[in-house]
Amino acid sequence: MSALARAVVAADPLGATGVRAAAERAVLDHVACAALCDADPAARDQASHLLAWARAEGEPVAGRPVLGTDARLAPSRAALVGGFRAHLLDLDDTHEDVRGHPSASLVPTLIALADDAAPLPDVLAAHAVGLEAMARLGRALGPAHYAAGFHPTATAGAVGAAAAGAHLLRLDEGTTARALSLAASRSAGVRAQFGTPAKPLHAGMAAQAGVEAVQWALAGIGAADDAVAGSVGLLASHGVEADVREALTSGFGQTWAIAAPGLWMKRSPFCSAAMGLVEAAAELADELDGTVDERAARIVGVRVRMRPGADAALVHRAPRTGEEARFSAEALVALALLGVPRDLAHLGAEPLDPRARALAGRVVREHVSAGTRGTPSAPGPDPRTGRAVRDMWSGVDVELADGRVLAAQVDRPAGSPQRPLPDTALRAKAAEALGEERAAALVALLAGPDATVGALTALAVAGAP
Amino acid sequence: MSALARAVVAADPLGATGVRAAAERAVLDHVACAALCDADPAARDQASHLLAWARAEGEPVAGRPVLGTDARLAPSRAALVGGFRAHLLDLDDTHEDVRGHPSASLVPTLIALADDAAPLPDVLAAHAVGLEAMARLGRALGPAHYAAGFHPTATAGAVGAAAAGAHLLRLDEGTTARALSLAASRSAGVRAQFGTPAKPLHAGMAAQAGVEAVQWALAGIGAADDAVAGSVGLLASHGVEADVREALTSGFGQTWAIAAPGLWMKRSPFCSAAMGLVEAAAELADELDGTVDERAARIVGVRVRMRPGADAALVHRAPRTGEEARFSAEALVALALLGVPRDLAHLGAEPLDPRARALAGRVVREHVSAGTRGTPSAPGPDPRTGRAVRDMWSGVDVELADGRVLAAQVDRPAGSPQRPLPDTALRAKAAEALGEERAAALVALLAGPDATVGALTALAVAGAP
């Protein structure tokens, strides 16, 4: 039997410090993202295409709701569409151990597999367990997994989603092991999709895989005891470099990745790899007053700096649209320096502002190694976990027409676990998505002891009061 | 736009020598395998579990048939269950470029995506195109892909199934490219599942992925132009060793993998990697007369020999059941030497014959490199394609109590493309599965010019006349 299955079955996270509050925030943020996706015309179109396809498949016997919509679909379809919606704007949470987006697959999996009568705290616990499995798989797969072209939101996501679902339904060890095993055989998704709707679809695919793996295991489909860490299993095929199997289970339950280091959360719909660069550029922009045209005229050149590989997800160097700009260091920094908001109105399907496009063409990327002059030393281990913190240091230098050079650096961006998004900002995001009243009701529901899944979904679907 | 998509759209295989006949044989064999799976109690149980799950999902709007059953399911579900059934007994065709089972994912994908009124020759052409894409992807991924732990039936299978479906529906280049791209993000499945029902489920997953990729592309879901051969795409993440992108498309349409080298076809439900060993052992058994007990008493030791890696799929060295024995060089050779048939009655869920188990414990595996004394020299290139033929040489030595040593070797087993399963044997397999009359009607239908998909499925579902 797989050690990971045993750990998932035995896990009891809600008693640990910070776990419950972190899970409440994650679910609140997820509901907001699922609703906000309709605010962007291109995202709304894509979501409606997938929903129309799912509806054309058939009439579900026991349909589950899709957050942000009025649809009820068969559970695996509800998970697919729900995961897609939540990640469509890249406005949803990320985790640095996963190197991807956990809640976008975890929450739709749990909503799809739960009964309406299931206690909401069970969902919060299962979210923490699924994230823990996903984070540990991410660490075991290591940076070479990402470097090779895998998209961990999809790969670690499938197994993490299955772990969450297995824990929610309190499957026994054998059934949990088969669910994890079947999910390991669905661990797929390539980074070639970054900057296209197939990237958020990966979150939906992971959620679908999680639901199907759990349901197939429950249906009695046989599978290997351990297709994750066992011989010729997932770590062997997807690990690329030397794997560290013990990272999967050693000390499982002693710390919780959802609380330490914790999730990154966003206010703006662009890739988290650019959050530090944008914050640094925004700081400099405060020193540059004037109109967009005046700023554009005054800036001669821009240099952005980060650790080697830290910008791997920022695949667009000369984006044509706002959508592509979400994955562009050059365009996002240009927008920030010019004082243009990085919101949906400016990062949608429309062509990118031509002044930002022009300035983006003058942005140069530079990779600097730890300890280089002008950069902070490599960060020490996280004091709560003893593990190394991924270095997210970012620097921006701007050369002006008057000869001045402005420089700013951000070690840990706002929204990162070390500078978490304040509750007030998270609630404002939820209120923007759901309206003040529903957002407040959702916050109260998540914090309460007795709420059910049905009460959550009643507030989180389209047309809710 | 991806070169593979262009090649898939432009492909016109039925005019090439041997393609049509090979595709007819492949579909005939597939229908037989899908029906035969119910002959084995354990396989029947697993297939019924998955079918019950799919039926519990909902009532399909436009259901497609599942061959061998009376079910109609939503297309992606029909493909999933159909692929699972066809590969459940490991009695279905394989291809050495794929290093896996192509028809088990291709045919269910095509049946699921076709209209009943679609011409059957279109299905045959699409099968050849899908197999070509799958074979080329298998060659591009190379042997290291398999060695790392990937299961090509599932990985190359997903993309090949999408290529077949795109060709059948005559999608344009852009839609075909997105279908292939979306399938690349579903390329998953690990060899850890060998010897369990999750292995045949991989064929179903690939068929499901193929159907969903085509349907999502048609629904307008965006994806990267080339997530197969493009940067940080499938070849990068799954290729493990240096990839050969040109193998994907160079000369596409000049030769057809379905005809040259062609498919392996089986009469017995065990892994094709053991076909040569079993044939060699069966030759020796002809020199050993007597009862099973007498033979068991007379054999002192057995040595089986093959190229390094040629037995990677034979994962069970001491199998307990007939099912496990399907993936055991030791048990299969022991059964052959003892004169026990390698049929479903002896390779099912029941415990393995104890005399075969005991003899299997005395079988030693030896790996020999090309050119070693007692082995044939490495085979030259296939004269039809100019490409290297995978070396399937097998040898068996038996030491007897009377001091004699018997030795046999098989260079290319019966059922391999170089010694193809005769039409008479293939028809006997179909007749065993479907009865004489339906088998004959199916053969006539496949060879005719005007048949439709509906006519095929009417003959191939459960309860057909």
Side-chain angles (χ1 to χ4, degrees):
Chain A
M1 199 54 54
S2 92
L4 184 59
R6 273 198 303 274
V8 166
V9 170
D12 184 17
L14 289 194
T17 306
V19 169
R20 164 104 193 212
E24 289 173 23
R25 281 168 54 95
V27 173
L28 180 64
D29 186 67
H30 173 87
V31 172
C33 292
L36 281 169
C37 102
D38 287 326
D40 179 59
R44 190 176 58 226
D45 279 357
Q46 288 288 311
S48 71
H49 292 337
L50 193 67
L51 183 56
W53 168 79
R55 281 177 155 153
E57 283 250 300
E59 203 54 51
V61 168
R64 294 298 301 153
V66 178
L67 303 191
T69 78
D70 61 358
R72 292 184 81 87
L73 300 172
S76 65
R77 299 314 185 198
L80 176 76
V81 181
F84 187 42
R85 290 181 63 86
H87 188 28
L88 251 169
L89 296 181
D90 226 302
L91 194 54
D92 56 310
D93 63 27
T94 72
H95 196 283
E96 55 198 58
D97 289 349
V98 177
R99 202 158 180 170
H101 295 255
S103 295
S105 61
L106 291 170
V107 181
T109 299
L110 293 168
I111 299 293
L113 287 172
D115 291 328
D116 280 346
L120 199 49
D122 286 5
V123 167
L124 300 174
H127 183 285
V129 171
L131 177 53
E132 187 66 24
M134 209 185 285
R136 283 167 173 272
L137 186 54
R139 298 206 296 272
L141 289 168
H145 176 72
Y146 191 90
F150 288 105
H151 181 200
T153 298
T155 55
V159 177
H167 191 266
L168 177 77
L169 301 186
R170 301 182 198 279
L171 304 189
D172 61 31
E173 278 184 15
T175 313
T176 298
R178 280 188 294 117
L180 297 175
S181 175
L182 290 163
S185 278
R186 300 292 289 279
S187 178
V190 287
R191 285 200 292 120
Q193 309 289 10
F194 280 19
T196 81
K199 183 194 183 231
L201 189 59
H202 285 170
M205 291 177 184
Q208 175 187 3
V211 168
E212 290 178 345
V214 165
Q215 291 188 328
W216 294 343
L218 276 170
I221 302 298
D225 281 346
D226 188 358
V228 177
S231 171
V232 287
L234 182 59
L235 286 185
S237 57
H238 289 54
V240 186
E241 66 181 1
D243 67 86
V244 278
R245 285 178 168 71
E246 67 278 12
L248 271 183
T249 48
S250 172
F252 198 110
Q254 290 172 17
T255 60
W256 292 95
I258 195 171
L263 291 159
W264 291 56
M265 286 188 174
K266 300 189 199 174
R267 282 290 286 155
S268 301
F270 59 79
C271 179
S272 58
M275 281 167 65
L277 290 173
V278 170
E279 187 177 334
E283 276 178 31
L284 298 183
D286 290 343
E287 304 181 37
L288 292 168
D289 43 39
T291 65
V292 171
D293 288 317
E294 287 166 357
R295 289 163 189 247
R298 208 177 310 150
I299 298 173
V300 174
V302 182
R303 180 177 303 273
V304 301
R305 296 184 289 151
M306 72 291 290
R307 298 275 184 243
D311 58 337
L314 303 172
V315 292
H316 288 296
R317 286 171 184 262
R320 295 155 296 184
T321 66
E323 277 183 324
E324 291 181 351
R326 292 178 197 161
F327 295 90
S328 170
E330 291 78 4
L332 289 165
V333 164
L335 288 168
L337 289 172
L338 295 177
V340 178
R342 283 75 60 200
D343 58 13
L344 281 181
H346 298 87
L347 294 174
E350 300 295 308
L352 186 63
D353 182 300
R355 297 160 298 187
R357 256 187 102 164
L359 180 54
R362 298 202 301 277
V363 175
V364 175
R365 296 192 199 191
E366 184 183 353
H367 295 106
V368 289
S369 297
T372 306
R373 199 166 71 88
T375 71
S377 56
D382 187 301
R384 292 165 299 184
T385 62
R387 287 189 290 102
V389 171
R390 190 148 68 89
D391 188 354
M392 295 299 289
W393 172 85
S394 305
V396 176
D397 302 334
V398 177
E399 189 185 348
L400 300 179
D402 64 12
R404 279 192 301 157
V405 174
L406 307 179
Q409 72 177 53
V410 169
D411 292 352
R412 300 296 282 182
S416 70
Q418 288 74 18
R419 290 175 60 204
L421 192 69
D423 278 344
T424 48
L426 177 57
R427 289 174 191 198
K429 182 177 175 182
E432 182 190 343
L434 307 171
E436 291 285 355
E437 277 188 41
R438 276 166 69 197
L442 192 56
V443 169
L445 196 72
L446 284 163
D450 301 323
T452 61
V453 169
L456 173 78
T457 58
L459 278 172
V461 297
Chain B
M1 198 55 52
S2 93
L4 184 59
R6 272 197 303 274
V8 166
V9 170
D12 183 18
L14 290 193
T17 307
V19 169
R20 164 106 193 209
E24 289 173 23
R25 282 167 54 95
V27 174
L28 180 64
D29 186 68
H30 173 88
V31 173
C33 292
L36 281 168
C37 102
D38 287 326
D40 179 59
R44 190 175 59 226
D45 280 357
Q46 288 287 312
S48 71
H49 292 338
L50 193 67
L51 182 55
W53 167 80
R55 281 177 155 154
E57 283 250 301
E59 203 54 52
V61 169
R64 295 298 302 153
V66 179
L67 303 191
T69 78
D70 61 0
R72 292 185 81 88
L73 299 172
S76 65
R77 300 315 186 196
L80 175 76
V81 181
F84 187 42
R85 291 180 63 87
H87 188 28
L88 251 169
L89 296 181
D90 226 302
L91 194 54
D92 56 311
D93 63 29
T94 72
H95 196 282
E96 55 198 60
D97 289 348
V98 178
R99 202 158 181 169
H101 296 255
S103 295
S105 60
L106 291 170
V107 183
T109 298
L110 294 168
I111 299 293
L113 287 172
D115 290 329
D116 280 346
L120 199 48
D122 286 3
V123 166
L124 300 175
H127 184 286
V129 172
L131 177 53
E132 188 66 24
M134 210 185 286
R136 284 167 173 273
L137 187 54
R139 296 206 296 272
L141 289 168
H145 176 72
Y146 191 90
F150 287 105
H151 181 200
T153 298
T155 55
V159 178
H167 191 267
L168 177 77
L169 301 186
R170 302 181 197 279
L171 304 189
D172 62 31
E173 278 185 15
T175 314
T176 299
R178 280 187 294 118
L180 297 175
S181 175
L182 289 163
S185 278
R186 301 291 290 280
S187 178
V190 286
R191 286 201 290 119
Q193 308 289 10
F194 280 19
T196 80
K199 183 193 182 233
L201 188 59
H202 285 170
M205 290 177 186
Q208 175 187 3
V211 168
E212 289 177 346
V214 166
Q215 293 188 328
W216 294 342
L218 276 170
I221 303 297
D225 281 346
D226 189 358
V228 177
S231 170
V232 288
L234 183 60
L235 285 184
S237 57
H238 290 55
V240 186
E241 67 182 2
D243 67 89
V244 278
R245 286 177 166 71
E246 68 277 12
L248 271 184
T249 48
S250 171
F252 198 112
Q254 290 172 16
T255 59
W256 292 95
I258 195 172
L263 291 159
W264 291 57
M265 287 189 174
K266 301 188 198 174
R267 282 289 286 155
S268 301
F270 58 79
C271 179
S272 59
M275 282 168 65
L277 290 173
V278 170
E279 187 177 333
E283 275 179 30
L284 298 183
D286 291 343
E287 304 181 37
L288 292 167
D289 44 39
T291 65
V292 171
D293 287 318
E294 287 165 357
R295 289 162 187 249
R298 208 179 308 149
I299 298 172
V300 174
V302 182
R303 180 177 303 272
V304 301
R305 293 183 292 150
M306 71 291 290
R307 298 273 184 246
D311 57 338
L314 303 172
V315 292
H316 288 296
R317 287 170 183 262
R320 296 155 296 184
T321 65
E323 277 183 324
E324 291 181 352
R326 292 178 196 159
F327 295 89
S328 170
E330 292 79 3
L332 290 165
V333 164
L335 288 168
L337 290 172
L338 296 177
V340 179
R342 283 74 59 198
D343 57 13
L344 281 181
H346 298 86
L347 293 174
E350 300 294 307
L352 186 63
D353 182 300
R355 296 160 299 188
R357 259 188 99 165
L359 179 54
R362 299 202 300 278
V363 175
V364 173
R365 296 192 198 190
E366 184 183 352
H367 294 107
V368 289
S369 297
T372 306
R373 198 166 72 84
T375 70
S377 56
D382 186 300
R384 292 165 297 185
T385 62
R387 287 190 290 103
V389 171
R390 191 149 68 91
D391 189 354
M392 294 299 289
W393 172 85
S394 306
V396 176
D397 302 335
V398 177
E399 189 185 348
L400 300 178
D402 64 12
R404 280 192 300 156
V405 173
L406 306 179
Q409 72 176 53
V410 169
D411 293 352
R412 301 296 283 184
S416 70
Q418 288 74 17
R419 291 174 60 204
L421 191 70
D423 278 343
T424 48
L426 176 58
R427 289 173 192 200
K429 182 178 176 182
E432 182 189 343
L434 308 170
E436 291 284 355
E437 279 187 41
R438 276 166 69 198
L442 191 57
V443 169
L445 195 73
L446 284 163
D450 301 323
T452 62
V453 168
L456 172 78
T457 58
L459 277 171
V461 297

